[in-house]
Amino acid sequence: MQTRIAGEIIAIGDELTCGRVANSTSRLAARELFLLGYDFAVMQCIGDNPELIGATLRTAISRADFVLVTGGLGSTDDDLTTAAAARALGLKTVSHPVLEARLRDYLAAQGREGDFARFARFAVLPEGAEPLDLQGRMAGYLLEYQGKPLWFLPGVPSQMAILLSEKLIPELTRRFPQPPVRQHLYHSIGLPELDINARLKPLEGRPGLQIGYYPVDAAVDVSLTVRTENAVQNAQLFTEADTLIRSALGATLFGENSDTLPECLGRLLEQRGLRLVLAESCTGGLIASSLTAIPGSSHWFEGGVVVYSNRLKEQLLGVPAALLADFGAVSKECATALAKGALAHLGGDLALAVTGIAGPSGGSPEKPVGTIFLGLAAQGLDTPQVQRLSLHGSRQEIQQQTMQRALDMLRHFLAHS
Amino acid sequence: MQTRIAGEIIAIGDELTCGRVANSTSRLAARELFLLGYDFAVMQCIGDNPELIGATLRTAISRADFVLVTGGLGSTDDDLTTAAAARALGLKTVSHPVLEARLRDYLAAQGREGDFARFARFAVLPEGAEPLDLQGRMAGYLLEYQGKPLWFLPGVPSQMAILLSEKLIPELTRRFPQPPVRQHLYHSIGLPELDINARLKPLEGRPGLQIGYYPVDAAVDVSLTVRTENAVQNAQLFTEADTLIRSALGATLFGENSDTLPECLGRLLEQRGLRLVLAESCTGGLIASSLTAIPGSSHWFEGGVVVYSNRLKEQLLGVPAALLADFGAVSKECATALAKGALAHLGGDLALAVTGIAGPSGGSPEKPVGTIFLGLAAQGLDTPQVQRLSLHGSRQEIQQQTMQRALDMLRHFLAHS
């Protein structure tokens, strides 16, 4: 099998070397490129030190097929990457005409021509570098040096992620086509990682085949990577593994590749022309927020209530005060009443309700932190479905898992109705 | 100023370089040691490759005062660190008598003497290395090489954290006593990074003083690091810088160090004994979710509604259909009505309302994507406050910024009422 293309990552910033900020961008790049067939032999994190930036860059160029540098491209005084890189490579820095024009237009539009000097370094690149975003909304450029591509991306994770997928990856795959790699991601919920692992034992140690397991709150992602000499081998191996994985995961498989549980649920609802409403207590809006993060969610999501206080449970959804007094807000009875009440008071075709104890306080021997009740009511369903969960973890972890389990409850209901 | 003691970290493992696992141990060590006055010039992540492990270790030793190596110390076949390090440093590997005895006892106690060979490498260290846990519960050792301490710790974060605080830090501080470091973080919202930078120019280039700027959605974090010969200098320089930063940020300073905007707001509300309700449209529960992620938020957060559809805006909050028809849901008028309606129908002392276009679709020439109206109603406030925002970015970025700006609007209201 031919030698693989190997890159190096250099993440720059004192905020990283002092441990104040987690270096999430290097991990993102490593993960994305690995799945495309590229290795990172070395990932380095260094501070805002021009000499060290230069030396590290030169070493990386001498070893790697390509280099990714992140951070230090802003226009504040601790942004030293461009100057240091240019010096280390014996290049001049020049103001890029297009970026400079954009900047002048931008300032002019705000009547701030006078500020140009303060922002000028935004447009300054090593000579020969090509900006990745000609609109100048994000810093970042590609510099060709001794025939090797050096990508300089911003340290801001959201911007880095955009330029990685829209600029770096297309260009990298064009320059260094890799032996055919086929990679598929399976999203599963309800089956523990170890059980999946046991079911997939037959795939272990098969040459050219890699299986990875990534628990994500209550879900588990299974990644299948097939990388062999040729496309025919790839296809055979992939089909074989794919078939086994699908049968192993069965109904716990909710999505693939970039799918998310909220998106999959949204598609199901839209296909059926059903509209969902929510009554959230302990998740406090997290479920609504995960659904409304999806463009077009207004087609199938009507809205919801965050009935954090008992008063609002009674007032907005008509949960009887007596019920709350007798069984408590964290109870099968309350979950049922919340789901019924949401359907009655908010409308919609389906209502999902959540009540429980996310902690850290509020637990009791018979209802410890992590005790959650899910309720599901639907038009034409006589009595709401109810599930009791016993979850573990921090408040946020319990809220996240509750969100996933609630959406999965609805997913199963839709699958079997 | 005396030259500072600088270390290097080498984290070893294919799971790190392929991005499957986040390198949390390096960050932990960097943060803990930075605050004790030690720098990490370079933090590296490399795969399970003996040659690369050896070369990287030799380079680190040549540059650093001490080296921390994590990972690859287990007893599976991809644990290569000890053998690679010994080879690179020209040392033999030997079975450590105490560890070997512990291992034999442990196996004997389980009647598994026969398994010794399988676990034997657990006791094997480079000659001269001293185990950090003589009980053998955790891998890890200290190796003195050319007068420099090299710590080898497990990659398992929980074990690494224990040995870091109980073994590495006491020994490091004994060998290299350091002057103290003082670091402080300021969270600001509403002032662009560059304007803050301009106001803090006087602090630039001051020896012993470091300022960093980190945009976080609509907010900007400013970090102040003071590190001088002695505590008195530290205190003076810190006070001087702290004073300037506070006056520069003024009312845009909402929190410090580990504070978050929702937490700061929660404290303000709790101090005043005020209860908040929410009416969210385009943020779809994100604001409620950011507040209810905080333990104890039930003390000051009553609940809210996600009125995604116009029907729910009318039905739950009594927004007049005529108003929606005349001005549209994304309007100053609707934000006002939502805030008033939330206060009236949900109760509470304060109501925050959000309506807008998060995109990607739904924009128009007069109301492009990113047009947001915030409404704030309060008991005793005749007419709600309204703010119009014009935000940019992805749907999620616009929702995030809207959340921050809405919470900040409430923060300012509370500060001036």
Side-chain angles (χ1 to χ4, degrees), chain A residues 17-358:
Chain A
T17 50
C18 76
R20 201 176 57 63
V21 170
N23 176 13
S24 59
T25 53
S26 293
R27 183 196 176 188
L28 175 71
R31 188 166 179 169
E32 301 272 313
L33 295 190
F34 174 79
L35 295 176
L36 290 169
Y38 302 89
D39 285 331
F40 281 108
V42 180
M43 296 160 62
Q44 305 201 55
C45 224
I46 58 178
D48 300 308
N49 169 336
E51 290 66 33
L52 186 57
I53 292 172
T56 307
L57 181 59
R58 281 194 305 270
T59 308
I61 293 171
S62 71
R63 296 185 297 204
D65 300 305
F66 67 95
V67 179
L68 166 56
V69 179
T70 61
L73 298 182
S75 48
T76 56
D77 299 303
D78 60 352
D79 294 311
L80 310 166
T81 300
T82 295
R87 199 175 311 112
L89 305 180
L91 301 171
K92 290 204 286 304
T93 57
V94 295
S95 183
H96 191 280
V98 177
L99 292 184
E100 180 172 334
R102 285 271 172 290
L103 178 56
R104 291 189 185 279
D105 296 348
Y106 170 81
L107 291 171
Q110 303 181 317
R112 300 172 58 191
E113 291 85 346
D115 289 350
F116 178 76
R118 267 174 58 208
F119 296 85
R121 66 199 276 182
F122 247 138
V124 173
L125 312 180
E127 57 182 334
E130 275 312 312
L132 297 175
D133 175 17
L134 281 170
Q135 302 311 309
R137 292 157 307 193
M138 295 177 273
Y141 49 88
L142 170 58
L143 176 62
E144 184 96 19
Y145 184 77
Q146 296 176 348
K148 293 179 179 179
L150 317 179
W151 278 278
F152 293 78
L153 300 187
V156 182
S158 59
Q159 298 183 359
M160 185 276 185
I162 293 171
L163 293 177
L164 177 73
S165 62
E166 294 181 4
K167 303 291 178 174
L168 188 153
I169 286 175
E171 176 65 14
L172 182 69
T173 47
R174 191 187 64 71
R175 286 179 182 239
F176 305 113
Q178 282 297 282
V181 172
R182 200 137 164 217
Q183 202 276 332
H184 204 82
L185 209 55
Y186 306 83
H187 307 295
S188 160
I189 185 166
L191 198 59
E193 183 180 4
L194 279 165
D195 300 0
I196 301 175
N197 186 217
R199 297 183 187 190
L200 298 184
K201 278 264 181 280
L203 295 177
E204 253 163 47
R206 296 284 303 273
L209 190 144
Q210 234 173 351
I211 308 280
Y213 305 90
Y214 317 106
V216 185
D217 301 315
V220 176
D221 288 357
V222 177
S223 80
L224 165 63
T225 310
V226 178
R227 181 184 296 136
T228 63
E229 300 294 342
N230 63 66
V232 179
Q233 273 186 22
N234 255 18
Q236 291 167 347
L237 200 51
F238 182 88
T239 310
E240 188 184 339
D242 178 72
T243 311
L244 181 58
I245 293 171
R246 289 178 189 282
S247 69
L249 298 179
T252 72
L253 177 70
F254 70 79
E256 305 178 31
N257 295 327
S258 63
D259 289 344
T260 68
L261 185 50
E263 282 164 4
C264 297
L265 200 58
R267 277 198 298 270
L268 280 174
L269 290 166
E270 190 148 19
Q271 286 160 9
R272 311 281 187 92
L274 297 172
R275 294 182 69 78
L276 174 67
V277 295
L278 295 173
E280 298 185 71
S281 181
C282 63
T283 46
L286 182 64
I287 301 178
S289 157
S290 75
L291 297 177
T292 54
I294 302 168
S297 43
S298 54
H299 299 150
W300 43 266
F301 180 64
E302 189 76 16
V305 292
V306 179
V307 284
Y308 220 49
S309 68
N310 281 350
R311 183 178 63 71
L312 282 185
K313 290 181 180 74
E314 301 171 25
Q315 197 172 311
L316 290 178
L317 301 180
V319 176
L323 182 152
L324 291 166
D326 297 348
F327 304 98
V330 179
S331 63
K332 169 169 114 292
E333 292 75 11
C334 184
T336 308
L338 286 171
K340 273 188 177 165
L343 206 56
H345 292 70
L346 307 184
D349 308 296
L350 294 154
L352 204 50
V354 174
T355 180
I357 305 156

Side-chain angles (χ1 to χ4, degrees), chain B residues 75-95:
Chain B
S75 48
T76 60
D77 300 329
D78 61 351
D79 292 310
L80 311 165
T81 300
T82 295
R87 199 174 311 114
L89 305 181
L91 301 171
K92 288 203 288 301
T93 57
V94 296
S95 182

Side-chain angles (χ1 to χ4, degrees), chain A residues 42-46 51-60 63, chain B residues 4-10 39-46 55-67 146 148 150:
Chain A
V42 180
M43 296 160 62
Q44 305 201 55
C45 224
I46 58 178
E51 290 66 33
L52 186 57
I53 292 172
T56 307
L57 181 59
R58 281 194 305 270
T59 308
R63 296 185 297 204
Chain B
R4 316 239 354 267
I5 295 298
E8 293 200 19
I9 299 181
I10 304 170
D39 280 335
F40 281 108
V42 180
M43 296 159 62
Q44 305 202 56
C45 226
I46 58 177
T56 307
L57 181 59
R58 281 194 304 271
T59 307
I61 293 171
S62 71
R63 294 186 297 202
D65 300 305
F66 67 95
V67 179
Q146 295 178 348
K148 293 179 180 180
L150 318 178

Side-chain angles (χ1 to χ4, degrees), chain B residues 112-413:
Chain B
R112 298 170 55 197
E113 292 83 348
D115 287 351
F116 177 76
R118 269 175 54 213
F119 296 90
R121 67 197 279 177
F122 223 42
V124 172
L125 312 180
E127 55 182 337
E130 274 312 311
L132 298 175
D133 175 18
L134 282 171
Q135 302 311 308
R137 293 158 306 193
M138 297 175 273
Y141 48 90
L142 169 59
L143 176 63
E144 184 96 20
Y145 184 79
Q146 295 178 348
K148 293 179 180 180
L150 318 178
W151 277 276
F152 292 78
L153 300 187
V156 182
S158 57
Q159 298 183 358
M160 185 274 185
I162 293 171
L163 293 177
L164 177 73
S165 61
E166 294 182 5
K167 303 291 178 173
L168 188 154
I169 287 176
E171 176 63 15
L172 183 69
T173 48
R174 191 187 63 71
R175 287 178 182 239
F176 307 113
Q178 281 295 289
V181 171
R182 203 148 158 204
Q183 189 174 51
H184 202 82
L185 210 54
Y186 306 82
H187 306 295
S188 159
I189 184 165
L191 199 60
E193 182 180 4
L194 277 161
D195 298 355
I196 301 174
N197 185 223
R199 296 184 186 188
L200 298 183
K201 279 267 185 270
L203 295 177
E204 253 158 51
R206 297 284 303 271
L209 192 143
Q210 244 175 341
I211 308 280
Y213 305 89
Y214 315 100
V216 186
D217 299 316
V220 176
D221 289 355
V222 177
S223 78
L224 165 64
T225 309
V226 177
R227 180 193 295 141
T228 64
E229 303 288 346
N230 62 65
V232 179
Q233 274 187 20
N234 254 15
Q236 291 168 347
L237 198 52
F238 182 89
T239 310
E240 190 185 337
D242 179 72
T243 311
L244 180 59
I245 292 172
R246 290 178 189 282
S247 68
L249 298 179
T252 73
L253 177 70
F254 69 78
E256 304 178 30
N257 296 326
S258 62
D259 290 344
T260 68
L261 185 50
E263 282 164 4
C264 297
L265 199 59
R267 276 198 297 272
L268 278 176
L269 290 166
E270 190 148 20
Q271 286 160 9
R272 310 281 187 93
L274 297 172
R275 294 181 70 76
L276 174 67
V277 295
L278 296 174
E280 298 185 71
S281 181
C282 64
T283 46
L286 182 64
I287 301 177
S289 157
S290 75
L291 298 177
T292 54
I294 303 168
S297 43
S298 54
H299 299 152
W300 43 267
F301 179 64
E302 188 76 14
V305 291
V306 179
V307 285
Y308 220 49
S309 69
N310 280 349
R311 184 177 64 71
L312 282 185
K313 292 183 180 73
E314 302 171 25
Q315 195 172 314
L316 291 177
L317 301 181
V319 177
L323 181 151
L324 291 166
D326 295 349
F327 303 99
V330 180
S331 63
K332 169 168 115 291
E333 293 74 12
C334 183
T336 308
L338 287 170
K340 273 188 179 166
L343 206 57
H345 293 70
L346 307 185
D349 308 296
L350 293 155
L352 204 50
V354 174
T355 180
I357 306 158
S361 62
S364 69
E366 54 289 347
K367 291 176 186 175
V369 167
T371 303
I372 310 285
F373 291 90
L374 306 177
L376 168 57
Q379 301 293 355
L381 181 69
D382 302 349
T383 51
Q385 296 183 357
V386 184
Q387 265 185 38
R388 178 182 181 143
L389 310 177
S390 301
L391 303 175
H392 303 282
S394 68
R395 178 180 178 86
Q396 280 83 342
E397 286 167 336
I398 288 173
Q399 289 176 322
Q400 282 289 338
Q401 293 174 49
T402 302
M403 182 255 281
Q404 291 176 310
R405 297 290 297 272
L407 295 181
D408 195 51
M409 180 186 188
L410 179 54
R411 182 180 69 87
H412 281 284
F413 176 80

